[in-house]
Amino acid sequence: MKLKPEQIQDNWEIFLNNIEVHITGERKQKLLDFYKKYEDRIMLMPAAHKKEYHNAFPGGYVEHVNRVVRCAIKQCELWKEESADMSTFTIEELVFSAINHDLGKMGDEENESYIPQTDKWRRDKLGEDYMFNKKVPFASVPDRGLFMLQSHGIQYTFNEMLAIQTHDGLYDEANKKYLFSYMPEQKPRTCLPFILHQADLMAARIEFEREWLPKLNEEQGSLDKLKENYTLGTTPNTSKKLSTKTKALGSMKSDGLKNMLDNL
Ligand SMILES: [Fe+2]
């Protein structure tokens, strides 16, 4: 999957517009300044470094984040219709969390997390266009994202911290402390983290389907064609195979087995 330069530019404008429309107060300008500062990096970032993951192509990150924002707003409507308690969070908190949920993927101030793959074999044989930048010290994506926000003076609420921290749901074991408790008082007091997780899951799944289902179907088609040449079939162009089958049955001594195979 590849995005055209115009699509990358359009997606970036949608990204900034989400901040313009949904974020208020002093932090709105700070957030815009932050993203303008890292514009060249973030606009072209992939959402992942391995092609098996979602949106691992230039511009894939912003495309993914914009989809998560859209899905989060739609999911929120669904929760509202089903009478979830909407008083526990605001739409600004929802959109802020969606915009910044994967920010930790950018790396740190100096270095990008994902850089072009230098290993020719991995590029050619595994199709990996990116690799991890070893200059960036390890931190989880949510931890680094929250660190980048606070180091640029961008405040976030308790709800936003919780939603960004747990956006991978129980796919990340570290979230068990927030999401796996049976004690009512230890459960999140808002459905915001669940809405964001569902939106992220939905977006990543759609991106996977778009990239991989056509390839897998194509591979299956080629495999089926290949199999036709090696299977005892009854289609008109398999006369050679039928004669092989007849020959094979003729050399069989067991009548029971012969009958059974003859009926195939
Ligand atoms: Fe994500």
Side-chain angles (χ1 to χ4, degrees), residues 57-97:
F57 48 79
Y61 173 84
V62 173
E63 208 236 10
H64 169 69
V65 170
N66 289 348
R67 182 170 291 103
V68 173
V69 172
R70 286 197 307 276
C71 292
I73 292 170
K74 289 172 187 167
Q75 287 284 355
C76 183
E77 278 304 310
L78 183 62
W79 282 69
K80 190 176 167 187
E81 270 176 38
E82 293 297 330
S83 309
D85 187 347
M86 293 287 124
S87 70
T88 56
F89 67 95
T90 65
I91 296 299
E92 176 168 347
E93 286 181 315
L94 176 73
V95 177
F96 182 94
S97 307

Side-chain angles (χ1 to χ4, degrees), residues 64 101-102 200:
H64 169 69
H101 80 281
D102 270 344
D200 190 30

